[in-house]
Amino acid sequence: MIDRYSRPEMSVLWSVENKFSKMLQVEIAVAKAQSELGIIPRKAYRSIARKSKFSVKRILEIEAVTKHDVIAFVSNVAENVGKDGKYIHYGMTSSDVLDTAFSLQIQEAGLVLLASVDRLKKSLQNKIAKNEETLCAGRTHGMYAEPTSFGMKLMGFLAETIRNERRIVDALEDLRICKLSGAVGTYSSQEPIVEKKVSDYLNLKPEWVATQVVPRDRHANLLNQISLVGAGLERLAVELRHLQRSEVGEVTEGFSKGQKGSSAMPHKKNPISAENISGLSRLLRAYALSGMENIPLWHERDISHSSVERVVFPDSFIIADYALNRMAVLIDGLEVNAKRMLDNIEQAQGQLYSSHVLLHLVKKGLSREVAYAHVQRLCHSLGFGEHLKYKINEDEVISAYFTKKDLEDIFSGKKHRDTLLKVIKKQKKVLQHEDKRK
């Protein structure tokens, strides 16, 4: 992937080296708790804390024989510790160390992901501040609707980003879990007090009720929240792709010196970043489904989830992080064509103000049904180059309901602009409050 969007630290967090580092962190924390409770000798813990280390190469050599990654890991650490190595993994089952270490990995990766969300928020806030008064056509069903501003348009995406950030924070908290209840979750080989002490050391929380694993609804929840981040990014990406179409031309992705849009057509400036983000969001939704399918394990455990998680968790975090940063770069470099936005408003032939024409007629005494029929009749009869404002002025039936000033007030856009500025000011305060709540 392209360097300016890449986040190498996220890839490092999902490396096999970091996985084993987190497993070692758990093993040492368990030995510490056990030594404090008199379960293992204190000197054994000191030896474990001082001598514990691993070699990925050696672990793989042992695993080639044992066909069991945790046994290979424990054996490698134990041989480095020496005679006190027998107390490594004491009273534990594989899922104890795997699931607790997985929680640590997820929390670490979550901090990087949230930093990328924060970067996108800042990019959106900066672009909003510059475009609060940049009038553009609002559209529904892809058709002209009413005037809005580009800043107002982006505020909706900022609000969604803040909601998605909060969802990620909550899902990460729900996965801040330590599980040391042993085989089938009965604590038969280890008292709950060990789990509580280790949870405190590692800034985790004991699982409420474990089977032999941390229940996978917690993991599925996080994958679903990450997929919502992707969906939000795609909603923004699709908006920018539509606005960049040749016949719309209201925004353009930043185009660097020497960049080329097509091997055959030199004129092309394509929305490649937005298209890339749209594609990546599809992967995130697929990974969320995989997380849901990991929930129904057999009885107290099986490992059908394991192979899936080795792919979907690193990929989900890396892809979401990449997409967030790519979108931030896109927003930072986005060229906003304010003139084209105004041209497109004019191209609507005044129809963007039809609702205000309707309200004026109702205020003047017409029933809503009659007023609506008149406005619709005029709008649907507009020919090329005609404008609703002048069509009203020429109409024998409703022209009497309008003064020249009435028409100027309605079609100047001033009311929309003034109202938008008030709404944006209010909504900024709402978003600032909501952003702090996370």
Side-chain angles (χ1 to χ4, degrees):
M1 289 189 174
I2 303 170
D3 288 342
R4 61 182 168 150
Y5 310 125
S6 295
R7 302 270 287 172
E9 59 266 45
M10 184 63 89
S11 298
V12 169
L13 295 181
W14 291 104
S15 66
V16 66
E17 288 84 0
N18 196 48
K19 172 188 172 182
F20 286 130
S21 292
K22 292 294 177 286
M23 290 170 65
L24 185 60
Q25 188 178 348
V26 173
E27 296 285 6
I28 292 172
V30 170
K32 178 182 180 182
Q34 290 172 335
S35 71
E36 290 176 352
L37 294 167
I39 298 169
I40 68 171
R42 284 187 175 272
K43 75 177 191 65
Y45 160 66
R46 290 193 292 269
S47 178
I48 289 168
R50 188 174 69 256
K51 297 180 181 179
S52 287
K53 62 181 180 179
F54 63 86
S55 161
V56 174
K57 181 181 178 183
R58 178 60 179 145
I59 291 171
L60 294 176
E61 289 173 353
I62 300 171
E63 187 180 356
V65 177
T66 63
K67 304 297 188 292
H68 196 292
D69 57 347
V70 177
I71 290 174
F73 164 77
V74 171
S75 297
N76 177 225
V77 174
E79 65 187 11
N80 287 320
V81 171
K83 66 183 181 67
D84 289 321
K86 64 185 180 181
Y87 293 112
I88 296 285
H89 206 69
Y90 189 80
M92 298 170 69
T93 190
S94 297
S95 293
D96 288 343
V97 64
L98 284 173
D99 278 5
T100 304
F102 195 27
S103 292
L104 293 175
Q105 250 185 311
I106 287 169
Q107 296 306 315
E108 203 171 45
L111 292 177
V112 176
L113 189 66
L114 290 171
S116 296
V117 174
D118 199 52
R119 181 187 177 190
L120 176 58
K121 286 194 305 179
K122 287 182 171 63
S123 296
L124 286 168
Q125 287 162 351
N126 290 336
K127 195 63 72 173
I128 288 166
K130 294 175 182 176
N131 291 279
E132 290 179 6
E133 298 185 53
T134 306
L135 282 184
C136 63
R139 297 171 174 87
T140 60
H141 305 275
M143 311 294 286
Y144 288 133
E146 283 202 6
T148 183
S149 80
F150 191 63
M152 180 71 181
K153 187 187 286 281
L154 290 181
M155 283 193 77
F157 295 103
L158 174 59
E160 184 174 10
T161 302
I162 291 170
R163 290 193 297 274
N164 283 331
E165 180 182 34
R166 186 179 299 166
R167 293 177 184 122
I168 292 290
V169 168
D170 290 345
L172 286 169
E173 187 61 29
D174 196 47
L175 249 175
R176 192 181 292 280
I177 295 297
C178 175
K179 183 271 168 189
L180 297 172
S181 54
V184 304
T186 61
Y187 296 96
S188 63
S189 299
Q190 188 132 263
E191 292 294 322
I193 185 61
V194 175
E195 183 179 69
K196 178 63 173 68
K197 289 177 77 68
V198 172
S199 295
D200 291 342
Y201 300 155
L202 300 177
N203 192 27
L204 300 175
K205 300 172 294 186
E207 177 55 68
W208 303 350
V209 179
T211 55
Q212 188 160 319
V213 297
V214 172
R216 258 42 198 178
D217 61 287
R218 294 185 184 273
H219 302 76
N221 180 41
L222 178 56
L223 290 172
N224 271 280
Q225 304 319 316
I226 292 175
S227 77
L228 275 174
V229 171
L233 290 172
E234 185 175 17
R235 188 172 80 90
L236 177 51
V238 167
E239 178 70 20
L240 298 177
R241 287 167 62 188
H242 282 308
L243 294 180
Q244 192 167 334
R245 283 160 44 215
S246 300
E247 61 270 30
V248 180
E250 295 185 1
V251 301
T252 308
E253 286 190 12
F255 206 75
S256 59
K257 185 178 180 181
Q259 184 175 343
K260 294 176 174 60
S262 167
S263 62
M265 297 167 284
H267 71 280
K268 296 297 289 295
K269 283 186 177 181
N270 299 322
I272 57 171
S273 289
E275 289 172 341
N276 178 272
I277 291 165
S278 287
L280 292 175
S281 70
R282 298 169 191 169
L283 286 173
L284 295 177
R285 287 194 288 275
Y287 292 150
L289 177 59
S290 298
M292 297 289 283
E293 291 179 341
N294 274 351
I295 295 174
L297 304 180
W298 283 18
H299 306 297
E300 278 62 48
R301 77 160 293 191
D302 63 52
I303 62 165
S304 60
H305 65 288
S306 177
S307 56
V308 179
E309 288 175 353
R310 291 174 193 231
V311 175
V312 301
F313 266 87
D315 276 16
S316 290
F317 272 91
I318 291 168
I319 288 170
D321 190 61
Y322 173 87
L324 283 162
N325 281 280
R326 185 152 190 179
M327 181 59 85
V329 171
L330 193 169
I331 295 297
D332 289 342
L334 189 70
E335 297 174 11
V336 179
N337 191 334
K339 182 180 181 303
R340 185 64 175 267
M341 290 178 175
L342 290 176
D343 289 344
N344 286 341
I345 288 176
E346 286 302 310
Q347 190 183 56
Q349 299 174 277
Q351 294 180 86
L352 276 76
Y353 303 99
S354 69
S355 64
H356 285 220
V357 175
L358 170 66
L359 293 175
H360 179 84
L361 289 172
V362 171
K363 190 175 180 180
K364 290 295 183 179
L366 273 66
S367 71
R368 182 178 178 85
E369 291 74 15
V370 171
Y372 192 102
H374 281 306
V375 179
Q376 185 182 57
R377 170 177 59 82
L378 293 177
C379 288
H380 289 186
S381 65
L382 284 170
F384 180 77
E386 290 187 315
H387 195 282
L388 181 59
K389 174 182 175 181
Y390 303 113
K391 199 84 169 176
I392 292 170
N393 213 29
E394 296 165 0
D395 189 80
E396 295 179 357
V397 179
I398 67 168
S399 58
Y401 293 95
F402 295 87
T403 66
K404 184 178 180 181
K405 186 178 184 304
D406 290 335
L407 292 173
E408 287 299 324
D409 287 345
I410 291 172
F411 288 96
S412 67
K414 184 178 184 300
K415 184 174 182 181
H416 285 86
R417 183 184 287 105
D418 292 347
T419 304
L420 279 167
L421 291 176
K422 290 178 184 176
V423 170
I424 288 173
K425 185 177 181 180
K426 178 184 176 183
Q427 291 183 340
K428 271 187 171 180
K429 291 180 180 178
V430 171
L431 293 185
Q432 287 168 359
H433 172 72
E434 293 299 330
D435 197 21
K436 289 177 182 176
R437 282 184 58 212
K438 70 178 184 296

